[in-house]
């Protein structure tokens, strides 16, 4: 899957009237598809990561969902568990650095300007359309950047650093 294809797929999943998937779930699903990982339709590991982990405003869900998918890919591509962890951390750290440069923050609350823990704030967030603009751009940035990762991550049995 190309970066453009990943972005299109993310838009398809995220920009629906039913709002079935949050940032973390969308990113996780799209990258699982791009990486050819199992259970591509199962977003459950990322469900609690939306809104900066359980709506607490922490790490952006797009980064959290990506970290899950990158870890799964590394575990399948890199034979040594220790080397897989190093590879996953390196990719996620670089993505976080680029994300912070692009958007000015890594935490959901700073990125969207709302505390999603209250019903009124969550409703205002949905009604404002921020999720369709700001959050969508962040998802697009992450999936566009990481969709082609399997092309650069060493395959099992290749020399690992």
């Amino acid at each position: 899957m190309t970066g453009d294809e990943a972005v299109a797929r993310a838009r398809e999943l995220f920009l629906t009237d039913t709002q079935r998937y949050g940032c973390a779930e969308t990113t996780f699903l799209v990258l699982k598809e791009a990486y050819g990982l199992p259970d591509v339709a199962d977003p459950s590991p990322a469900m609690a990561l939306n809104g900066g982990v359980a709506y607490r405003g922490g790490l952006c869900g797009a980064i959290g969902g990506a970290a899950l998918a990158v870890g799964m890919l590394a575990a399948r591509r890199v034979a040594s568990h220790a080397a897989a962890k190093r590879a996953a951390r390196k990719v996620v750290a670089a993505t976080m650095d680029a994300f912070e440069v692009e958007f000015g923050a890594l935490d959901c609350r700073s990125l969207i300007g709302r505390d999603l823990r209250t019903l009124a704030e969550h409703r205002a967030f949905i009604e404002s359309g921020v999720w369709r603009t700001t959050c969508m751009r962040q998802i697009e940035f992450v999936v566009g950047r990481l969709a082609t990762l399997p092309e650069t991550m060493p395959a099992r049995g290749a020399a690992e650093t």
Side-chain angles (χ1 to χ4, degrees), residues 2-141:
T2 68
D4 289 343
E5 290 169 334
V7 166
R9 180 66 174 135
R11 293 181 70 75
E12 178 184 322
L13 290 172
F14 191 71
L15 297 177
T16 65
D17 291 335
T18 60
Q19 301 169 335
R20 181 172 181 183
Y21 301 120
C23 299
E25 295 162 294
T26 299
T27 303
F28 183 55
L29 287 173
V30 169
L31 292 177
K32 281 181 22 175
E33 286 179 25
Y35 300 165
L37 296 171
D39 300 321
V40 295
D42 180 12
S44 60
M47 285 178 169
L49 299 178
N50 296 316
V53 184
Y55 289 171
R56 303 274 309 170
L59 182 66
C60 173
I63 297 289
L68 291 175
V70 168
M72 289 178 73
L73 177 65
R76 283 162 179 73
R77 299 281 306 230
V78 182
S80 158
H81 183 75
K85 288 190 337 184
R86 284 192 302 275
R89 283 193 302 258
K90 181 178 178 182
V91 168
V92 173
T95 302
M96 291 173 72
D97 289 345
F99 186 98
E100 189 170 26
V101 167
E102 182 74 16
F103 299 107
L106 289 169
D107 65 290
C108 181
R109 191 164 300 140
S110 295
L111 293 164
I112 66 169
R114 298 223 180 252
D115 183 347
L116 298 177
R117 293 177 293 180
T118 70
L119 183 58
E121 280 289 292
H122 187 266
R123 185 176 298 124
F125 165 73
I126 296 299
E127 290 172 359
S128 74
V130 167
W131 62 278
R132 290 183 175 273
T133 56
T134 300
C135 297
M136 189 70 247
R137 280 193 307 271
Q138 293 157 0
I139 293 168
E140 291 171 342
F141 179 86

